Amino acid sequence: MEALFDKAQRNAATHAKALDAMLVLYSKHAEVEEDMPFFGQFIDMFNRALIVFKREPAVERTIDFCVQFVARVADSEAETAEDQASSEISFLNAFLKHLIAASKAKDKAVRFRSCQAVCKLLNALSEDAEIDDEIWDDLQRSMLTRTQDKIPVVRVHAIGALGRLQDQNTAECPVVQAYISLLTCDSSPDVRRAALTQILIDEYTVDFVLSRARDRKDAVRKCLYETLTVKVDVASLQIEQRNMLVRTGLTDRAPEVVKACSNMICRGWYESCNKDAVEVLDLMDVETAVKDSDMLAQALLKTVGQWHEKLQDLATSLTPARALWWKNLVGHFRREKNEDEFEYSAPSPALVAKLLKQGLSGVVCPHTLTQIPFLSFVCLVPYPLALYFTHTVPFAPTFLGFPPPRFHSSHNMRMIL
């Protein structure tokens, strides 16, 4: 066994062969009581890694090797659970009892390494692994105690260990309550980030999670948007919450937070909406939160890349979201000096006149009309003047702050923003 541990701590590439050899050795010593030779020798080898607080690569590899071995043994025990006598304690339960006892040590290194091993082990176990109810309760209590440890790295790994011990059915779960407290009150940004990544997000916890959008540390705010991208469906958020996330994320002072927010919009929201930009904008309060919706549209235009919208699709069944997207799309093509796409997407004078008539007759609401390219001036002019534009070549007059139209030919005119 010493030779196998020596190989495992030197190179992670040897773990696969070393695990197979350890399993063969274990099968020859099937006894799993703590006073039996194999378990005692295994714990003796493992304990040598517990006393090292520094993140030494050899120690990290040793703990990983031990965790992988216990997880493999637990899987084999689960397959033969029906044949085991009720008085026997499994290797997994015996190992967890040892870790629970070690987590109460006075030495900070032992507390850190034991919590680290619990965290790695619980994440490595399959769904079929069996843990005694008593040990499960003791494990939860010990890790909850360690979330109050004075050493931040101990709290971080205790949070990771509690991830699979959360109760998904009640807001009174002690693990969830501990996560909320750590998320909002802990002084260490690493601890707040760990709580963000582990907490189950539902109607009860979502407000506490979203409060981290204003965390004082850039890394925590970035972690929030990364977590939301992976764990939260945009449809489950309220409109006010979506507006707040877009507004605070895209105007954040830290570039990495802005990038994380853009990824949430373009990789999370956009893909969940079947890659339909208008459908994403429909999730926002387009009519009252125009600036937030504009920022979201511009983030999509900058990040996603190629766009080629059909003009008729946007002009037909015009909605506030379609109009706002149309406006930002044309502006994007103009800023990028993409003349071909600009010509394709910009409305013709005839279409502008048609939409203006629909607005004056009440078919299209005035707010939607103001979002259409070259029609944002319509609510600033009196009715007779607007009516005049519907019977002549519609353009934005210079005295209203808009440039004059640019005529490409006698039959084809396009307005330049």
mmCIF file of all heavy atoms in Angstrom, residues 141-183:
data_model
loop_
_atom_site.group_PDB
_atom_site.id
_atom_site.type_symbol
_atom_site.label_atom_id
_atom_site.label_comp_id
_atom_site.label_asym_id
_atom_site.label_seq_id
_atom_site.Cartn_x
_atom_site.Cartn_y
_atom_site.Cartn_z
ATOM 1 N N ARG A 141 -24.240 18.232 10.635
ATOM 2 C CA ARG A 141 -23.968 19.085 11.797
ATOM 3 C C ARG A 141 -22.505 19.532 11.846
ATOM 4 O O ARG A 141 -22.220 20.701 12.138
ATOM 5 C CB ARG A 141 -24.332 18.334 13.086
ATOM 6 C CG ARG A 141 -25.818 18.256 13.362
ATOM 7 C CD ARG A 141 -26.082 17.781 14.783
ATOM 8 N NE ARG A 141 -25.651 16.386 14.952
ATOM 9 C CZ ARG A 141 -26.435 15.344 14.772
ATOM 10 N NH1 ARG A 141 -27.709 15.517 14.428
ATOM 11 N NH2 ARG A 141 -25.985 14.107 14.946
ATOM 12 N N SER A 142 -21.604 18.615 11.570
ATOM 13 C CA SER A 142 -20.177 18.964 11.638
ATOM 14 C C SER A 142 -19.800 19.982 10.566
ATOM 15 O O SER A 142 -19.034 20.921 10.830
ATOM 16 C CB SER A 142 -19.318 17.701 11.501
ATOM 17 O OG SER A 142 -19.504 17.101 10.235
ATOM 18 N N MET A 143 -20.339 19.839 9.339
ATOM 19 C CA MET A 143 -20.019 20.787 8.273
ATOM 20 C C MET A 143 -20.683 22.144 8.523
ATOM 21 O O MET A 143 -20.115 23.187 8.192
ATOM 22 C CB MET A 143 -20.453 20.220 6.922
ATOM 23 C CG MET A 143 -19.630 19.019 6.459
ATOM 24 S SD MET A 143 -17.859 19.365 6.257
ATOM 25 C CE MET A 143 -17.171 18.569 7.736
ATOM 26 N N LEU A 144 -21.888 22.141 9.098
ATOM 27 C CA LEU A 144 -22.508 23.408 9.464
ATOM 28 C C LEU A 144 -21.674 24.137 10.508
ATOM 29 O O LEU A 144 -21.548 25.373 10.479
ATOM 30 C CB LEU A 144 -23.926 23.175 9.992
ATOM 31 C CG LEU A 144 -24.996 22.868 8.943
ATOM 32 C CD1 LEU A 144 -26.306 22.464 9.623
ATOM 33 C CD2 LEU A 144 -25.228 24.078 8.039
ATOM 34 N N THR A 145 -21.104 23.388 11.436
ATOM 35 C CA THR A 145 -20.221 23.996 12.435
ATOM 36 C C THR A 145 -18.998 24.612 11.783
ATOM 37 O O THR A 145 -18.555 25.704 12.137
ATOM 38 C CB THR A 145 -19.800 22.952 13.481
ATOM 39 O OG1 THR A 145 -20.957 22.404 14.108
ATOM 40 C CG2 THR A 145 -18.897 23.575 14.539
ATOM 41 N N ARG A 146 -18.469 23.917 10.803
ATOM 42 C CA ARG A 146 -17.267 24.399 10.128
ATOM 43 C C ARG A 146 -17.525 25.615 9.228
ATOM 44 O O ARG A 146 -16.598 26.319 8.862
ATOM 45 C CB ARG A 146 -16.623 23.279 9.310
ATOM 46 C CG ARG A 146 -16.088 22.140 10.151
ATOM 47 C CD ARG A 146 -14.691 22.445 10.753
ATOM 48 N NE ARG A 146 -14.642 23.498 11.728
ATOM 49 C CZ ARG A 146 -14.951 23.387 13.028
ATOM 50 N NH1 ARG A 146 -15.362 22.222 13.498
ATOM 51 N NH2 ARG A 146 -14.851 24.399 13.843
ATOM 52 N N THR A 147 -18.795 25.876 8.856
ATOM 53 C CA THR A 147 -19.079 27.093 8.103
ATOM 54 C C THR A 147 -18.867 28.341 8.951
ATOM 55 O O THR A 147 -18.836 29.452 8.416
ATOM 56 C CB THR A 147 -20.526 27.090 7.567
ATOM 57 O OG1 THR A 147 -21.442 26.997 8.663
ATOM 58 C CG2 THR A 147 -20.746 25.941 6.601
ATOM 59 N N GLN A 148 -18.742 28.151 10.273
ATOM 60 C CA GLN A 148 -18.451 29.262 11.172
ATOM 61 C C GLN A 148 -16.989 29.275 11.594
ATOM 62 O O GLN A 148 -16.624 30.010 12.520
ATOM 63 C CB GLN A 148 -19.356 29.182 12.402
ATOM 64 C CG GLN A 148 -20.847 29.147 12.088
ATOM 65 C CD GLN A 148 -21.311 30.360 11.318
ATOM 66 O OE1 GLN A 148 -20.893 31.482 11.612
ATOM 67 N NE2 GLN A 148 -22.170 30.151 10.323
ATOM 68 N N ASP A 149 -16.166 28.465 10.958
ATOM 69 C CA ASP A 149 -14.742 28.392 11.303
ATOM 70 C C ASP A 149 -14.076 29.744 11.065
ATOM 71 O O ASP A 149 -14.472 30.508 10.178
ATOM 72 C CB ASP A 149 -14.062 27.310 10.463
ATOM 73 C CG ASP A 149 -12.735 26.871 11.051
ATOM 74 O OD1 ASP A 149 -11.723 27.581 10.829
ATOM 75 O OD2 ASP A 149 -12.703 25.844 11.746
ATOM 76 N N LYS A 150 -13.050 30.028 11.848
ATOM 77 C CA LYS A 150 -12.363 31.312 11.712
ATOM 78 C C LYS A 150 -11.447 31.363 10.494
ATOM 79 O O LYS A 150 -11.002 32.457 10.090
ATOM 80 C CB LYS A 150 -11.555 31.606 12.979
ATOM 81 C CG LYS A 150 -10.460 30.586 13.278
ATOM 82 C CD LYS A 150 -9.749 30.924 14.575
ATOM 83 C CE LYS A 150 -8.649 29.891 14.877
ATOM 84 N NZ LYS A 150 -7.966 30.202 16.156
ATOM 85 N N ILE A 151 -11.132 30.201 9.904
ATOM 86 C CA ILE A 151 -10.267 30.138 8.726
ATOM 87 C C ILE A 151 -11.143 30.130 7.468
ATOM 88 O O ILE A 151 -11.952 29.216 7.284
ATOM 89 C CB ILE A 151 -9.369 28.892 8.771
ATOM 90 C CG1 ILE A 151 -8.608 28.824 10.095
ATOM 91 C CG2 ILE A 151 -8.415 28.889 7.591
ATOM 92 C CD1 ILE A 151 -7.685 29.998 10.337
ATOM 93 N N PRO A 152 -11.006 31.115 6.571
ATOM 94 C CA PRO A 152 -11.888 31.182 5.398
ATOM 95 C C PRO A 152 -11.853 29.951 4.511
ATOM 96 O O PRO A 152 -12.891 29.512 4.014
ATOM 97 C CB PRO A 152 -11.376 32.422 4.646
ATOM 98 C CG PRO A 152 -10.743 33.270 5.698
ATOM 99 C CD PRO A 152 -10.145 32.303 6.673
ATOM 100 N N VAL A 153 -10.671 29.361 4.302
ATOM 101 C CA VAL A 153 -10.590 28.207 3.410
ATOM 102 C C VAL A 153 -11.336 27.003 3.985
ATOM 103 O O VAL A 153 -11.860 26.169 3.235
ATOM 104 C CB VAL A 153 -9.110 27.861 3.127
ATOM 105 C CG1 VAL A 153 -8.419 27.284 4.359
ATOM 106 C CG2 VAL A 153 -8.994 26.906 1.953
ATOM 107 N N VAL A 154 -11.412 26.904 5.296
ATOM 108 C CA VAL A 154 -12.204 25.838 5.923
ATOM 109 C C VAL A 154 -13.681 26.073 5.648
ATOM 110 O O VAL A 154 -14.430 25.139 5.309
ATOM 111 C CB VAL A 154 -11.927 25.773 7.437
ATOM 112 C CG1 VAL A 154 -12.797 24.702 8.093
ATOM 113 C CG2 VAL A 154 -10.452 25.486 7.704
ATOM 114 N N ARG A 155 -14.120 27.312 5.770
ATOM 115 C CA ARG A 155 -15.525 27.635 5.491
ATOM 116 C C ARG A 155 -15.870 27.346 4.025
ATOM 117 O O ARG A 155 -16.963 26.854 3.724
ATOM 118 C CB ARG A 155 -15.803 29.113 5.821
ATOM 119 C CG ARG A 155 -15.527 29.485 7.265
ATOM 120 C CD ARG A 155 -16.250 30.748 7.680
ATOM 121 N NE ARG A 155 -15.858 31.926 6.929
ATOM 122 C CZ ARG A 155 -14.829 32.722 7.217
ATOM 123 N NH1 ARG A 155 -14.056 32.436 8.273
ATOM 124 N NH2 ARG A 155 -14.565 33.791 6.499
ATOM 125 N N VAL A 156 -14.952 27.655 3.138
ATOM 126 C CA VAL A 156 -15.197 27.430 1.709
ATOM 127 C C VAL A 156 -15.458 25.953 1.421
ATOM 128 O O VAL A 156 -16.418 25.587 0.724
ATOM 129 C CB VAL A 156 -14.011 27.942 0.869
ATOM 130 C CG1 VAL A 156 -14.114 27.444 -0.570
ATOM 131 C CG2 VAL A 156 -13.953 29.463 0.891
ATOM 132 N N HIS A 157 -14.623 25.065 1.976
ATOM 133 C CA HIS A 157 -14.783 23.641 1.696
ATOM 134 C C HIS A 157 -15.956 23.039 2.473
ATOM 135 O O HIS A 157 -16.561 22.066 2.015
ATOM 136 C CB HIS A 157 -13.480 22.899 2.007
ATOM 137 C CG HIS A 157 -12.420 23.132 0.973
ATOM 138 N ND1 HIS A 157 -11.519 24.163 1.051
ATOM 139 C CD2 HIS A 157 -12.136 22.473 -0.185
ATOM 140 C CE1 HIS A 157 -10.710 24.131 0.007
ATOM 141 N NE2 HIS A 157 -11.070 23.122 -0.763
ATOM 142 N N ALA A 158 -16.271 23.603 3.618
ATOM 143 C CA ALA A 158 -17.475 23.153 4.327
ATOM 144 C C ALA A 158 -18.725 23.491 3.515
ATOM 145 O O ALA A 158 -19.670 22.699 3.456
ATOM 146 C CB ALA A 158 -17.542 23.801 5.710
ATOM 147 N N ILE A 159 -18.720 24.652 2.869
ATOM 148 C CA ILE A 159 -19.837 25.029 2.001
ATOM 149 C C ILE A 159 -19.965 24.042 0.842
ATOM 150 O O ILE A 159 -21.059 23.597 0.486
ATOM 151 C CB ILE A 159 -19.634 26.467 1.477
ATOM 152 C CG1 ILE A 159 -19.829 27.471 2.610
ATOM 153 C CG2 ILE A 159 -20.588 26.767 0.327
ATOM 154 C CD1 ILE A 159 -19.420 28.880 2.250
ATOM 155 N N GLY A 160 -18.832 23.675 0.251
ATOM 156 C CA GLY A 160 -18.867 22.704 -0.831
ATOM 157 C C GLY A 160 -19.353 21.341 -0.384
ATOM 158 O O GLY A 160 -20.069 20.645 -1.120
ATOM 159 N N ALA A 161 -18.992 20.959 0.831
ATOM 160 C CA ALA A 161 -19.432 19.664 1.347
ATOM 161 C C ALA A 161 -20.933 19.629 1.598
ATOM 162 O O ALA A 161 -21.569 18.573 1.475
ATOM 163 C CB ALA A 161 -18.674 19.352 2.642
ATOM 164 N N LEU A 162 -21.515 20.766 1.932
ATOM 165 C CA LEU A 162 -22.950 20.815 2.245
ATOM 166 C C LEU A 162 -23.831 20.908 1.001
ATOM 167 O O LEU A 162 -25.057 20.866 1.113
ATOM 168 C CB LEU A 162 -23.242 22.013 3.151
ATOM 169 C CG LEU A 162 -22.744 21.904 4.593
ATOM 170 C CD1 LEU A 162 -22.818 23.262 5.286
ATOM 171 C CD2 LEU A 162 -23.560 20.873 5.365
ATOM 172 N N GLY A 163 -23.222 21.035 -0.169
ATOM 173 C CA GLY A 163 -24.000 21.229 -1.383
ATOM 174 C C GLY A 163 -25.024 20.138 -1.633
ATOM 175 O O GLY A 163 -26.157 20.418 -2.029
ATOM 176 N N ARG A 164 -24.652 18.876 -1.389
ATOM 177 C CA ARG A 164 -25.562 17.760 -1.623
ATOM 178 C C ARG A 164 -26.411 17.431 -0.399
ATOM 179 O O ARG A 164 -27.172 16.462 -0.417
ATOM 180 C CB ARG A 164 -24.776 16.519 -2.055
ATOM 181 C CG ARG A 164 -24.119 16.665 -3.417
ATOM 182 C CD ARG A 164 -23.443 15.398 -3.868
ATOM 183 N NE ARG A 164 -24.400 14.339 -4.164
ATOM 184 C CZ ARG A 164 -24.061 13.146 -4.672
ATOM 185 N NH1 ARG A 164 -22.786 12.887 -4.952
ATOM 186 N NH2 ARG A 164 -24.978 12.241 -4.909
ATOM 187 N N LEU A 165 -26.270 18.221 0.661
ATOM 188 C CA LEU A 165 -27.050 17.985 1.872
ATOM 189 C C LEU A 165 -28.205 18.962 2.023
ATOM 190 O O LEU A 165 -28.867 19.003 3.062
ATOM 191 C CB LEU A 165 -26.135 18.088 3.111
ATOM 192 C CG LEU A 165 -24.893 17.197 3.111
ATOM 193 C CD1 LEU A 165 -24.120 17.377 4.402
ATOM 194 C CD2 LEU A 165 -25.270 15.732 2.928
ATOM 195 N N GLN A 166 -28.459 19.765 0.981
ATOM 196 C CA GLN A 166 -29.555 20.726 1.040
ATOM 197 C C GLN A 166 -30.906 20.035 0.850
ATOM 198 O O GLN A 166 -31.024 19.052 0.129
ATOM 199 C CB GLN A 166 -29.390 21.787 -0.059
ATOM 200 C CG GLN A 166 -28.146 22.635 0.086
ATOM 201 C CD GLN A 166 -28.009 23.623 -1.051
ATOM 202 O OE1 GLN A 166 -28.631 24.683 -1.054
ATOM 203 N NE2 GLN A 166 -27.184 23.290 -2.023
ATOM 204 N N ASP A 167 -31.902 20.587 1.527
ATOM 205 C CA ASP A 167 -33.270 20.115 1.376
ATOM 206 C C ASP A 167 -33.967 20.976 0.338
ATOM 207 O O ASP A 167 -34.115 22.181 0.509
ATOM 208 C CB ASP A 167 -34.005 20.199 2.721
ATOM 209 C CG ASP A 167 -35.357 19.508 2.692
ATOM 210 O OD1 ASP A 167 -35.853 19.239 1.573
ATOM 211 O OD2 ASP A 167 -35.912 19.241 3.761
ATOM 212 N N GLN A 168 -34.402 20.369 -0.750
ATOM 213 C CA GLN A 168 -34.991 21.122 -1.847
ATOM 214 C C GLN A 168 -36.464 21.465 -1.618
ATOM 215 O O GLN A 168 -37.044 22.209 -2.407
ATOM 216 C CB GLN A 168 -34.866 20.328 -3.150
ATOM 217 C CG GLN A 168 -33.436 19.967 -3.506
ATOM 218 C CD GLN A 168 -33.353 19.233 -4.829
ATOM 219 O OE1 GLN A 168 -34.289 19.231 -5.612
ATOM 220 N NE2 GLN A 168 -32.218 18.596 -5.077
ATOM 221 N N ASN A 169 -37.046 20.948 -0.574
ATOM 222 C CA ASN A 169 -38.491 21.095 -0.398
ATOM 223 C C ASN A 169 -38.902 22.128 0.639
ATOM 224 O O ASN A 169 -40.081 22.408 0.793
ATOM 225 C CB ASN A 169 -39.103 19.737 -0.016
ATOM 226 C CG ASN A 169 -38.848 18.684 -1.073
ATOM 227 O OD1 ASN A 169 -38.903 18.979 -2.257
ATOM 228 N ND2 ASN A 169 -38.574 17.461 -0.641
ATOM 229 N N THR A 170 -37.993 22.670 1.386
ATOM 230 C CA THR A 170 -38.391 23.596 2.438
ATOM 231 C C THR A 170 -37.394 24.725 2.592
ATOM 232 O O THR A 170 -36.179 24.529 2.446
ATOM 233 C CB THR A 170 -38.528 22.869 3.795
ATOM 234 O OG1 THR A 170 -38.836 23.836 4.805
ATOM 235 C CG2 THR A 170 -37.275 22.129 4.161
ATOM 236 N N ALA A 171 -37.916 25.906 2.905
ATOM 237 C CA ALA A 171 -37.062 27.068 3.143
ATOM 238 C C ALA A 171 -36.463 27.046 4.536
ATOM 239 O O ALA A 171 -35.623 27.900 4.858
ATOM 240 C CB ALA A 171 -37.867 28.350 2.943
ATOM 241 N N GLU A 172 -36.889 26.091 5.364
ATOM 242 C CA GLU A 172 -36.367 25.982 6.723
ATOM 243 C C GLU A 172 -35.145 25.086 6.805
ATOM 244 O O GLU A 172 -34.692 24.760 7.907
ATOM 245 C CB GLU A 172 -37.461 25.435 7.650
ATOM 246 C CG GLU A 172 -38.714 26.291 7.706
ATOM 247 C CD GLU A 172 -38.421 27.700 8.177
ATOM 248 O OE1 GLU A 172 -37.559 27.862 9.054
ATOM 249 O OE2 GLU A 172 -39.066 28.639 7.665
ATOM 250 N N CYS A 173 -34.643 24.661 5.668
ATOM 251 C CA CYS A 173 -33.458 23.797 5.654
ATOM 252 C C CYS A 173 -32.287 24.520 6.313
ATOM 253 O O CYS A 173 -31.952 25.647 5.938
ATOM 254 C CB CYS A 173 -33.114 23.418 4.221
ATOM 255 S SG CYS A 173 -31.562 22.508 4.052
ATOM 256 N N PRO A 174 -31.632 23.905 7.312
ATOM 257 C CA PRO A 174 -30.522 24.587 7.986
ATOM 258 C C PRO A 174 -29.349 24.893 7.058
ATOM 259 O O PRO A 174 -28.650 25.889 7.243
ATOM 260 C CB PRO A 174 -30.122 23.601 9.093
ATOM 261 C CG PRO A 174 -30.653 22.280 8.658
ATOM 262 C CD PRO A 174 -31.896 22.572 7.889
ATOM 263 N N VAL A 175 -29.147 24.047 6.045
ATOM 264 C CA VAL A 175 -28.056 24.303 5.102
ATOM 265 C C VAL A 175 -28.361 25.552 4.277
ATOM 266 O O VAL A 175 -27.487 26.409 4.076
ATOM 267 C CB VAL A 175 -27.845 23.079 4.188
ATOM 268 C CG1 VAL A 175 -26.766 23.370 3.149
ATOM 269 C CG2 VAL A 175 -27.454 21.862 5.016
ATOM 270 N N VAL A 176 -29.590 25.671 3.791
ATOM 271 C CA VAL A 176 -29.979 26.852 3.018
ATOM 272 C C VAL A 176 -29.862 28.112 3.865
ATOM 273 O O VAL A 176 -29.379 29.153 3.394
ATOM 274 C CB VAL A 176 -31.412 26.678 2.477
ATOM 275 C CG1 VAL A 176 -31.891 27.968 1.811
ATOM 276 C CG2 VAL A 176 -31.477 25.527 1.490
ATOM 277 N N GLN A 177 -30.295 28.040 5.123
ATOM 278 C CA GLN A 177 -30.188 29.204 6.002
ATOM 279 C C GLN A 177 -28.728 29.590 6.225
ATOM 280 O O GLN A 177 -28.396 30.786 6.262
ATOM 281 C CB GLN A 177 -30.869 28.902 7.338
ATOM 282 C CG GLN A 177 -32.368 28.668 7.243
ATOM 283 C CD GLN A 177 -33.105 29.851 6.653
ATOM 284 O OE1 GLN A 177 -32.778 31.007 6.926
ATOM 285 N NE2 GLN A 177 -34.110 29.572 5.826
ATOM 286 N N ALA A 178 -27.859 28.592 6.365
ATOM 287 C CA ALA A 178 -26.436 28.880 6.529
ATOM 288 C C ALA A 178 -25.869 29.533 5.273
ATOM 289 O O ALA A 178 -25.077 30.485 5.350
ATOM 290 C CB ALA A 178 -25.681 27.590 6.850
ATOM 291 N N TYR A 179 -26.269 29.035 4.108
ATOM 292 C CA TYR A 179 -25.815 29.620 2.851
ATOM 293 C C TYR A 179 -26.245 31.081 2.723
ATOM 294 O O TYR A 179 -25.468 31.939 2.291
ATOM 295 C CB TYR A 179 -26.360 28.814 1.668
ATOM 296 C CG TYR A 179 -25.585 27.557 1.342
ATOM 297 C CD1 TYR A 179 -26.143 26.569 0.540
ATOM 298 C CD2 TYR A 179 -24.302 27.363 1.824
ATOM 299 C CE1 TYR A 179 -25.442 25.416 0.225
ATOM 300 C CE2 TYR A 179 -23.592 26.215 1.521
ATOM 301 C CZ TYR A 179 -24.165 25.245 0.717
ATOM 302 O OH TYR A 179 -23.458 24.106 0.419
ATOM 303 N N ILE A 180 -27.482 31.370 3.090
ATOM 304 C CA ILE A 180 -27.977 32.737 2.985
ATOM 305 C C ILE A 180 -27.180 33.666 3.901
ATOM 306 O O ILE A 180 -26.807 34.788 3.516
ATOM 307 C CB ILE A 180 -29.480 32.779 3.334
ATOM 308 C CG1 ILE A 180 -30.293 32.087 2.237
ATOM 309 C CG2 ILE A 180 -29.953 34.216 3.512
ATOM 310 C CD1 ILE A 180 -31.766 31.944 2.554
ATOM 311 N N SER A 181 -26.904 33.197 5.108
ATOM 312 C CA SER A 181 -26.124 34.000 6.046
ATOM 313 C C SER A 181 -24.720 34.258 5.518
ATOM 314 O O SER A 181 -24.213 35.385 5.555
ATOM 315 C CB SER A 181 -26.070 33.294 7.403
ATOM 316 O OG SER A 181 -25.245 33.993 8.304
ATOM 317 N N LEU A 182 -24.084 33.217 4.995
ATOM 318 C CA LEU A 182 -22.731 33.371 4.459
ATOM 319 C C LEU A 182 -22.731 34.243 3.213
ATOM 320 O O LEU A 182 -21.810 35.037 2.991
ATOM 321 C CB LEU A 182 -22.148 31.994 4.138
ATOM 322 C CG LEU A 182 -21.899 31.075 5.332
ATOM 323 C CD1 LEU A 182 -21.667 29.648 4.863
ATOM 324 C CD2 LEU A 182 -20.702 31.560 6.142
ATOM 325 N N LEU A 183 -23.758 34.088 2.411
ATOM 326 C CA LEU A 183 -23.852 34.826 1.160
ATOM 327 C C LEU A 183 -23.952 36.323 1.381
ATOM 328 O O LEU A 183 -23.387 37.119 0.617
ATOM 329 C CB LEU A 183 -25.078 34.327 0.393
ATOM 330 C CG LEU A 183 -25.313 34.805 -1.034
ATOM 331 C CD1 LEU A 183 -24.244 34.274 -1.952
ATOM 332 C CD2 LEU A 183 -26.682 34.351 -1.507
#
